[in-house]
Amino acid sequence: MSEERKDEFADNDFKYVMADMENIYLGARFTFGELLLQEMVPFKLKTIINQYILKEADPDTTLESQFYYMSAGTFLYDTFCQLRVRVKVNVQAEKRTLSGAGRLRYVERVFKLKELADINLAKKKASGMIIREIMISKLGLLTFSV
């Protein structure tokens, strides 16, 4: 398999749209422009992206970078708070073995948007934080007035 083909597959690992009774799950590697082209993304969410999010963000911005660098008090932060967004991340944590030695490994955590925005950029980098998934509440989407 060519290197270009491997990169294409690796990049698509975190580009998905799923839903259950409570949430819509978006892979963090999607750009806002790509979300508009996905048929599984609800129409109301596409409308919110067009009317609100793309006024502040570039269509080529990935969800991963948007949420990684997001700070409280911005228009996009308020918009995503209205949608009751939660973010699934992987962070490094030390695990002790039976011999007492410590070993770093990645653990999965789910943050509310306020919790994620309160972590400063230096702490995010130090913890090796990787944003994997964006969870949008269907109730938040329902109550969002366009």
Side-chain angles (χ1 to χ4, degrees):
M1 189 180 287
S2 71
E3 285 298 318
E4 181 179 309
R5 192 83 170 138
K6 284 181 186 178
D7 290 341
E8 179 183 331
F9 282 125
D11 196 38
N12 287 333
D13 283 347
F14 292 98
K15 286 186 178 182
Y16 55 87
V17 178
M18 296 186 307
D20 63 13
M21 295 298 288
E22 297 179 21
N23 297 305
I24 298 167
Y25 304 94
L26 304 173
R29 295 280 170 91
F30 271 122
T31 64
F32 290 115
E34 290 172 337
L35 281 176
L36 294 175
L37 301 175
Q38 292 293 315
E39 67 180 52
M40 291 293 295
V41 175
F43 178 77
K44 189 169 186 179
L45 182 57
K46 288 181 181 181
T47 304
I48 292 168
I49 291 170
N50 267 327
Q51 291 185 0
Y52 295 96
I53 296 171
L54 290 181
K55 289 183 179 180
E56 299 288 324
D58 189 74
D60 294 329
T61 303
T62 63
L63 295 173
E64 182 179 29
S65 64
Q66 180 65 50
F67 284 94
Y68 191 84
Y69 295 105
M70 183 174 287
S71 58
T74 63
F75 177 74
L76 286 178
Y77 173 81
D78 293 338
T79 303
F80 287 120
C81 280
Q82 285 290 99
L83 290 171
R84 299 181 186 175
V85 167
R86 291 181 297 144
V87 181
K88 187 181 290 186
V89 303
N90 288 1
V91 292
Q92 288 181 344
E94 187 173 0
K95 180 178 178 168
R96 296 274 177 204
T97 61
L98 292 175
S99 64
R103 193 177 97 205
L104 286 179
R105 66 182 180 102
Y106 276 95
V107 294
E108 190 173 86
R109 294 199 47 205
V110 176
F111 288 106
K112 291 181 180 178
L113 191 60
K114 181 181 180 350
E115 295 170 340
L116 184 68
D118 287 344
I119 301 171
N120 67 23
L121 190 58
K123 281 188 178 181
K124 288 178 185 175
K125 288 182 180 182
S127 69
M129 182 179 287
I130 301 170
I131 295 179
R132 294 292 182 205
E133 186 175 81
I134 310 303
M135 298 180 283
I136 299 173
S137 166
K138 285 187 175 178
L139 184 59
L141 188 62
L142 177 72
T143 59
F144 194 100
S145 59
V146 179

